[in-house]
Amino acid sequence: MPVKRDYYEVLGIPRNATDEEIKRAFRKLAFKYHPDHNRNGDAEAKFKEVNEAYQVLADPDKRAAYDRFGHGGAEGLFGRGFEGFDFGGFGDIFDAFFGGASTTARRGPRRGTDLNYNTYITFEEAAFGCEKEISILRTEYCPSCQGTGAKPGSQQTKCPNCNGSGQLRRVQQSFFGHFTNITTCPQCRGQGRIITEPCPHCRGTGKEKKERRISVKIPAGVDNGNQVRLRGEGEAGDRGGPPGNLYVYLTVKPHELFTRDGDDIIYELAINFAQAALGAEIEVPTLDGSTKLKVPAGSQTGREFKLKNKGISHLRGRGRGDQFVRLQVVTPESLTKKQRQILEELAKTLEPDTKRQESIG
């Protein structure tokens, strides 16, 4: 009895090869030595050897037994050796790797294609929600034939090419035995029936392009990149299948006054140094209208004030975020003669803020 080669050597891989490396090596060698591709006299024996090695190394338990006890361990796990090994089940493996010797026709209902639509909304619409009307062009079932493609009142007939099965079967003989190649009937396209009198409205397609105006409810709290799904508003399905969905992708236009931070908003409030030094009551804008804000005397640039519940509505939950008012003390770039005199007099009375300078230094 001939001595069996090491399975790792057969596949040309190291003993620590990963599952993916084992599979890749097998695919390469199985294709190389498959009788349909290689007519050499020893191709059949090598093909059998490659498959035997793969059957062991691709299975964790069999591989562990082989690594520990060699060929005897693998044979013990099977209960017998590979003599007279049955290749009948290899067709499934070869199909999975190389696209298969057979295909199954899909004749049942099939869901329609999803559609995407991009739309812009304002900052306020994102904050509070809104309802938008959009226009889309989509495929719908023909209203005359209801998607059958046949002229109303006419009958579809059994396809003579496939005898109504929608499939064509062809039996092939190979090294492994008989294989049945199943393909979709080209005459009826898998339907099993053919149209003798096409619908004049859609010319037998069963569908037509239609422009539709659709109302989209956009919830409060959405942001850039969020999407709204409208079930059943996509393309019509095939063979009576349900329509796809419509996905509306949102882009929020920037606001001229506010910036967004999650569900909070930020407003930069510019004040002069007199207001900052003396304090002031200033009217500030919010998403709900203007409100008055008291700025304490001695306020510095960067100080923030929180206006509770003046931000963006929470998308998933109740309530709203907050609005933060951030101060920016503005130094004038030019002064009148009187303003300069007043400031010069003021400067003579002011002491340098040494503590502040020390903290900065």
Side-chain angles (χ1 to χ4, degrees), residues 140-168:
E140 298 181 355
Y141 284 128
C142 170
S144 180
C145 66
Q146 302 300 313
T148 66
K151 181 180 179 180
S154 67
Q155 297 291 327
Q156 296 185 16
T157 61
K158 183 190 294 185
C159 176
N161 193 37
C162 63
N163 198 31
S165 68
Q167 302 174 345
L168 296 179

Side-chain angles (χ1 to χ4, degrees), residues 35-301:
D36 289 348
H37 303 280
N38 195 325
R39 300 297 182 181
N40 293 334
D42 62 344
E44 180 178 326
K46 289 184 177 179
F47 185 72
K48 180 178 178 180
E49 185 183 41
V50 167
N51 183 58
E52 180 179 319
Y54 177 75
Q55 292 290 330
V56 172
L57 299 185
D59 184 286
D61 294 332
K62 297 172 187 176
R63 183 181 181 183
Y66 176 74
D67 289 342
R68 190 171 182 183
F69 303 108
H71 291 292
E75 292 172 2
L77 193 62
F78 284 122
R80 60 180 178 88
F82 282 94
E83 296 302 321
F85 185 82
D86 179 15
F87 281 84
F90 181 69
D92 293 336
I93 300 174
F94 197 79
D95 289 354
F97 283 132
F98 301 106
S102 64
T103 56
T104 302
R106 297 180 59 183
R107 299 180 56 207
R110 188 167 59 185
R111 180 175 170 272
T113 305
D114 293 333
L115 293 177
N116 297 327
Y117 185 92
N118 299 314
T119 189
Y120 287 87
I121 59 174
T122 66
F123 197 90
E124 288 83 359
E125 288 173 334
F128 300 118
C130 63
E131 190 165 339
K132 306 281 283 189
E133 192 173 73
I134 63 174
S135 179
I136 64 168
L137 184 66
R138 69 184 181 191
T139 301
E140 298 181 355
Y141 284 128
C142 170
S144 180
C145 66
Q146 302 300 313
T148 66
K151 181 180 179 180
S154 67
Q155 297 291 327
Q156 296 185 16
T157 61
K158 183 190 294 185
C159 176
N161 193 37
C162 63
N163 198 31
S165 68
Q167 302 174 345
L168 296 179
R169 296 171 177 264
R170 185 163 56 94
V171 178
Q172 293 177 311
Q173 178 70 34
S174 74
F175 171 71
F176 302 108
H178 291 85
F179 285 88
T180 302
N181 187 33
I182 306 174
T183 58
T184 302
C185 175
Q187 186 167 342
C188 67
R189 299 181 180 179
Q191 299 286 335
R193 307 186 73 81
I194 58 175
I195 299 171
T196 55
E197 295 184 77
C199 172
H201 184 80
C202 64
R203 298 181 181 179
T205 64
K207 297 179 180 179
E208 66 173 359
K209 284 289 186 180
K210 203 79 173 179
E211 186 172 359
R212 293 290 184 186
R213 298 194 67 81
I214 299 174
S215 180
V216 184
K217 290 185 177 180
I218 300 174
V222 295
D223 202 352
N224 272 316
N226 286 161
Q227 64 182 25
V228 178
R229 180 178 63 182
L230 301 179
R231 292 182 180 273
E233 296 292 354
E235 301 273 25
D238 292 328
R239 297 183 286 277
N245 298 325
L246 170 63
Y247 291 89
V248 180
Y249 290 87
L250 306 175
T251 300
V252 182
K253 297 177 183 178
H255 200 279
E256 60 179 355
L257 299 177
F258 306 118
T259 56
R260 181 170 178 172
D261 182 13
D263 287 342
D264 297 328
I265 61 174
I266 299 171
Y267 173 69
E268 303 279 350
L269 175 61
I271 61 174
N272 60 49
F273 55 83
Q275 291 172 313
L278 301 175
E281 187 174 73
I282 303 173
E283 199 169 75
V284 297
T286 73
L287 291 175
D288 303 303
S290 298
T291 188
K292 290 185 178 180
L293 174 69
K294 288 185 177 181
V295 178
S299 294
Q300 306 294 325
T301 290

Side-chain angles (χ1 to χ4, degrees), residues 11-14 16-27 54 63:
L11 295 182
I13 56 176
N16 62 348
T18 64
D19 293 341
E20 186 58 34
E21 289 172 333
I22 293 172
K23 185 184 296 184
R24 194 182 306 122
F26 167 71
R27 291 181 61 179
Y54 177 75
R63 183 181 181 183

